[in-house]
Amino acid sequence: EREFCCPSAMAAVLSLAALHPASPRHESRAYRSPLFSRRSAVLAPLATLLALPLSAVPASARSYKGDDPLTLRLRQSREELAACGPLLEQRRWDEVRKVTSVLLAAMTFKGYTGESVKSRAASLKTEQAKATVLDQRSALLVSLAKLDKAAYAVQIGKTPPAEASEVVTTSVDDALAAMDGILAEF
C-alpha cells in the first residue's frame, strides 16, 4: 500500500476545484480564458503535488515520523551543524554563525514550538534523564559559544583562519556529540 502526501480523495477534490470555471461576470474580460480560471492556475499544481506518492517527496521535505516540533528542529539543526565542514573550508563564516544562532535559540527560547531543550529537560520523568540532558545542553552551549567566538574572530580579522581551524573543528565535533546525547534522551 502506498502512502500519499494527502489522501487521494482530497487531491481529486482540489483538482476539480481547480478546474471549476470562474463566475460568469468575469467572462467579458479580455484576459479571461474560457477553459480555466485563475483559481485553476493556482490550485492545479498544488493538487498534483498532494497526489504524489510520499516516496516521491524529498526526505528533507518530510518530517521524521513521530517527532514533535522541538525534536524535529533539533534533528534539522544537527544535520546543518554536521554540514558545516564544507562551509568552514570555504570560509563562509557568516553561514556557520547562522547555524549556531539557530541552535542557541533552541536551547533556551521556546519559539514557535512552545518548548525549548531546557523546558523539555524539566519535564522528563527521571532525574537521571534530566541531569543527562542538562549536562549535554551545557556542553553544547559551551561548544557553540567557542565555535561562534572563533568564527566571529576570523570574520572581523582578529584571528587568521589557520589559527582558528583547530578550535572550530573541535567545537563542531563536541557540539555534534552533545546533540547526539540530547536527541538520545528525547
Side-chain angles (χ1 to χ4, degrees):
E1 183 177 315
R2 293 175 30 182
E3 269 187 71
F4 288 92
C5 294
C6 181
S8 54
M10 173 85 100
V13 168
L14 285 174
S15 296
L16 291 175
L19 296 176
H20 183 270
S23 65
R25 64 186 172 120
H26 295 293
E27 289 179 11
S28 62
R29 294 188 182 167
Y31 63 84
R32 172 83 173 101
S33 168
L35 295 176
F36 300 105
S37 66
R38 285 178 287 186
R39 183 183 305 141
S40 68
V42 173
L43 292 178
L46 178 63
T48 305
L49 176 66
L50 292 174
L52 286 175
L54 193 57
S55 60
V57 178
S60 61
R62 287 183 269 148
S63 68
Y64 296 89
K65 289 190 175 202
D67 281 351
D68 58 281
L70 176 64
T71 306
L72 178 62
R73 185 167 67 162
L74 290 175
R75 287 186 192 278
Q76 289 171 342
S77 295
R78 193 222 181 273
E79 290 173 6
E80 291 172 2
L81 185 63
C84 277
L87 296 176
L88 295 170
E89 291 172 6
Q90 297 168 1
R91 297 182 179 182
R92 293 165 53 185
W93 304 107
D94 193 44
E95 292 180 36
V96 173
R97 293 189 69 218
K98 285 179 186 176
V99 171
T100 61
S101 69
V102 169
L103 266 170
L104 286 170
M107 294 299 111
T108 305
F109 302 120
K110 293 185 179 185
Y112 75 94
T113 63
E115 198 171 26
S116 67
V117 172
K118 187 175 182 179
S119 66
R120 172 74 63 85
S123 69
L124 292 174
K125 293 181 181 178
T126 66
E127 290 300 318
Q128 183 180 1
K130 287 179 189 180
T132 301
V133 170
L134 290 176
D135 289 345
Q136 294 296 325
R137 177 183 170 271
S138 296
L140 179 59
L141 289 171
V142 168
S143 299
L144 291 176
K146 286 181 184 177
L147 176 61
D148 191 52
K149 185 176 179 182
Y152 180 70
V154 171
Q155 214 174 11
I156 63 169
K158 186 176 179 182
T159 307
E163 275 184 39
S165 69
E166 184 179 333
V167 172
V168 167
T169 305
T170 305
S171 297
V172 168
D173 292 341
D174 293 346
L176 288 172
M179 286 286 296
D180 290 338
I182 291 171
L183 288 169
E185 293 296 327
F186 288 174

